[in-house]
Amino acid sequence: MSVHIMRIVNIGVMMSLLLLEVSLVLGDIGTATSYHPPYIPTRCNGNRADQFPSGNLFVAVSEGLWDNGAACGRRYRLRCLSGSGYRPCKGGTIDVRVVDYCTKRPCPSTIALSADAFSQTSPTPKSKINIEYIQYV
């Protein structure tokens, strides 16, 4: 009987590890930089001040995510993976909302984070970091 229980436990552990691995690869990989005020007007909602989420955790996206403007209002959960320098990432994830199209051509990153959003992700504001991001509802 104990051998049977051990097999069930082993299968449970293996399934947990497999599910953890699957959840780690659901996000996309890209880069992020910061951008600074003035933030308005935006391509999504012009001069409306109410377009910015609380905490100023918002982003402008590059051509690949812009989707002819359909990206407006989309929300992403992202985390810093790596970057240059000593400890380029802060731990954890942040949730951001798309409010604009990246104004620089070419855009220097996949996602340009507001200064406040970037400061919650990385301690080095003028750097370019590698991120994992996933759209959520």
Side-chain angles (χ1 to χ4, degrees), residues 54-131:
S54 62
N56 288 323
L57 301 180
F58 58 88
V59 300
V61 295
S62 62
E63 180 68 35
L65 293 176
W66 181 241
D67 196 15
N68 291 319
C72 291
R74 284 184 184 156
R75 296 183 297 177
Y76 290 95
R77 178 163 291 146
L78 62 89
R79 69 183 178 110
C80 179
L81 296 174
S82 64
S84 61
Y86 179 70
R87 295 189 181 195
C89 299
K90 293 182 177 180
T93 62
I94 63 167
D95 296 338
V96 296
R97 183 184 312 153
V98 176
V99 299
D100 209 353
Y101 181 55
C102 184
T103 57
K104 295 182 180 176
R105 298 291 175 268
C107 189
S109 59
T110 310
I111 297 175
L113 294 110
S114 67
D116 289 335
F118 198 88
S119 71
Q120 293 209 7
T121 307
S122 176
T124 53
K126 296 193 185 271
S127 65
K128 185 176 192 176
I129 58 173
N130 299 307
I131 58 168

Side-chain angles (χ1 to χ4, degrees), residues 38-48 51-52 99-100 103:
Y39 294 121
I40 54 177
T42 68
R43 293 277 297 269
C44 292
N45 290 302
N47 289 311
R48 290 181 43 196
Q51 68 183 305
F52 301 108
V99 299
D100 209 353
T103 57

